[in-house]
Amino acid sequence: ITVHDERFYNRVIRYGSLGLGEAYMENWWDANSLDAFIHKVLTAHLNKDIQVNLASIFTVAKAFIFNLQSNERAFEVGEAHYDLGNDLYEAMLDKRMVYTCGYWKDAKTLDDAQEAKLDLVCKKIGLKEGDRILDIGCGWGSFAKYAAERYGASVVGITVSVEQAALAREHCAGLPVEIRIQDYRAVNEKFDHIISLGMFEHVGYKNYRIYFEIANRCLKDDGLFLLHTIGSNFSVITGNPWMEKYIFPNGMIPSVTQIGKAIEGLFIVEDWHNFGADYDKTLMAWFKNFDAAWPKLRDKYGDRFYRMWKYYLLSCAGAFRARDMQLWQIVLSKNGVVGGYTSIR
């Protein structure tokens, strides 16, 4: 790295990951390859040397005292992140606008990886024509559109983002798809299957149990629930302080232990698939698209936003490359699949 401002060192020691990210946003330092730098930091476990700092103490205290993902706060991340501008996400994402990890097993391009992921989800739940699906955190309607067009399913998609809902309705026009601006806690009806792709990171540890109780309540007895989520190697009660402040308000990553405790007595684990290394490729593809589109986006978003967004995408790519974070697809049933579940890869 190249340090442009000597205050950088004190800021990182005092504020940890928050200080590192903010110093980057303010041009105090640069790296020839930001993703490679973060990868090296994490594989050398340098982050653990300054785990306790002013930012971490405040973040933990706030998460312990308050329910940061309560009903009243549920729509904050929609306004702060997903409503930033559909032009930004259209430029950055694949043609279907899938804002979760792609499946690169046999894929060469981002479009192929995201379509492969959507099809993988459909196959894992045994989707068939006429099935009614709940999509918790439906984004811009990518899964709903795919499931309706390719498999003849009907889908209810819920999101906390006004901008996502508006574009999702356009994308799914004429299909048996209903898009709602709704918190998951407000859903009380039965579905053949439930899927949730990249939304569980906004639920929060104080709400994990109620989340799965609601999924259990809404799932038919012979249905399957597929949870697609980023996963942590350790149980935490907060998110990364920089990420929480600038990218995903009130976000946090669950651990195996936290998910296991939350589903106990509600679901049987049929399959647990980790393809976290694929998120590195996905994030690098997103950054390539964002960087190429930046000249058209610059006037609206500004140079500080560019450094913030670059840091977000490339630091996450480095973290997944270091296997500091995982990506799990978990298939759950209420009573166990008769004769056993066949894992699909």
Side-chain angles (χ1 to χ4, degrees):
I1 68 172
T2 302
V3 175
H4 306 302
D5 192 313
E6 292 295 314
R7 291 176 294 174
F8 162 81
Y9 302 103
N10 184 57
R11 190 161 187 175
V12 172
I13 291 170
R14 285 171 63 85
Y15 297 102
S17 60
L18 177 63
L20 183 68
E22 288 184 333
Y24 185 82
M25 290 167 62
E26 293 169 24
N27 289 289
W28 286 13
W29 66 280
D30 275 297
N32 293 335
S33 177
L34 187 56
D35 50 295
F37 167 69
I38 296 297
H39 172 236
K40 289 178 182 248
V41 166
L42 293 175
T43 52
H45 307 296
L46 300 183
N47 55 314
K48 294 182 180 178
D49 292 336
I50 50 172
Q51 278 185 318
V52 179
N53 52 71
L54 292 176
S56 67
I57 292 169
F58 174 74
T59 304
V60 170
K62 186 172 67 169
F64 184 78
I65 295 169
F66 302 106
N67 183 351
L68 299 178
Q69 301 83 12
S70 64
N71 295 58
E72 294 76 18
R73 293 173 177 264
F75 291 84
E76 289 181 3
V77 70
E79 295 169 0
H81 187 82
Y82 298 106
D83 289 347
L84 273 172
N86 286 334
D87 57 342
L88 169 66
Y89 294 108
E90 284 175 319
M92 183 178 86
L93 303 177
D94 64 297
K95 64 183 180 182
R96 292 182 178 274
M97 294 187 71
V98 185
Y99 195 21
T100 52
C101 182
Y103 190 50
W104 292 84
K105 179 172 175 280
D106 300 311
K108 301 297 183 185
T109 67
L110 180 63
D111 285 342
D112 290 345
Q114 293 296 13
E115 187 156 312
K117 190 267 300 300
L118 295 177
D119 201 59
L120 183 69
V121 171
C122 293
K123 285 182 167 61
K124 283 184 175 182
I125 62 173
L127 190 60
K128 61 185 185 299
E129 187 173 356
D131 281 348
R132 185 168 185 253
I133 312 301
L134 173 63
D135 182 354
I136 304 174
C138 65
W140 292 274
S142 56
F143 174 83
K145 181 178 172 66
Y146 187 88
E149 286 181 337
R150 298 289 182 90
Y151 284 83
S154 65
V155 184
V156 172
I158 62 173
T159 176
V160 293
S161 167
V162 173
E163 292 295 321
Q164 281 188 335
L167 194 53
R169 287 169 184 148
E170 288 183 27
H171 288 167
C172 299
L175 295 170
V177 173
E178 179 186 358
I179 304 296
R180 304 174 185 170
I181 300 174
Q182 187 177 36
D183 181 58
Y184 67 92
R185 282 162 283 216
V187 183
N188 188 14
E189 54 201 279
K190 291 290 186 182
F191 297 88
D192 294 296
H193 302 292
I194 300 174
I195 65 107
S196 184
L197 310 181
M199 175 273 173
F200 194 64
E201 300 88 338
H202 304 305
V203 171
Y205 80 105
K206 291 186 177 180
N207 307 298
Y208 288 159
R209 183 67 179 183
I210 188 66
Y211 175 90
F212 285 112
E213 286 175 346
I214 289 167
N216 180 278
R217 179 181 74 193
C218 293
L219 183 65
K220 291 183 178 179
D221 287 345
D222 60 348
L224 293 174
F225 173 26
L226 185 143
L227 179 68
H228 171 117
T229 181
I230 296 172
S232 172
N233 298 331
F234 304 95
S235 295
V236 296
I237 64 170
T238 66
N240 174 283
W242 182 86
M243 203 71 67
E244 198 273 341
K245 182 175 181 179
Y246 291 100
I247 306 297
F248 295 113
N250 311 321
M252 64 165 290
I253 309 303
S255 69
V256 171
T257 300
Q258 288 169 326
I259 292 175
K261 183 178 179 181
I263 65 174
E264 189 171 321
L266 295 173
F267 288 104
I268 292 170
V269 177
E270 299 289 354
D271 190 44
W272 197 303
H273 183 188
N274 185 354
F275 53 98
D278 284 19
Y279 230 141
D280 179 12
K281 293 182 180 179
T282 304
L283 285 154
M284 294 304 292
W286 287 346
F287 176 71
K288 182 179 179 181
N289 289 344
F290 167 68
D291 195 49
W294 181 244
K296 296 179 181 178
L297 300 170
R298 183 175 186 176
D299 288 344
K300 178 178 177 180
Y301 293 95
D303 289 338
R304 180 178 168 85
F305 179 91
Y306 176 82
R307 289 186 70 87
M308 179 187 78
W309 209 252
K310 178 179 180 179
Y311 188 82
Y312 154 50
L313 295 174
L314 294 186
S315 66
C316 286
F320 280 102
R321 194 176 308 160
R323 302 310 305 277
D324 189 65
M325 293 191 291
Q326 312 306 321
L327 188 285
W328 299 322
Q329 280 192 354
I330 309 167
V331 179
L332 305 170
S333 67
K334 290 172 73 170
N335 303 301
V337 175
V338 177
Y341 178 84
T342 301
S343 298
I344 297 170
R345 298 291 184 268

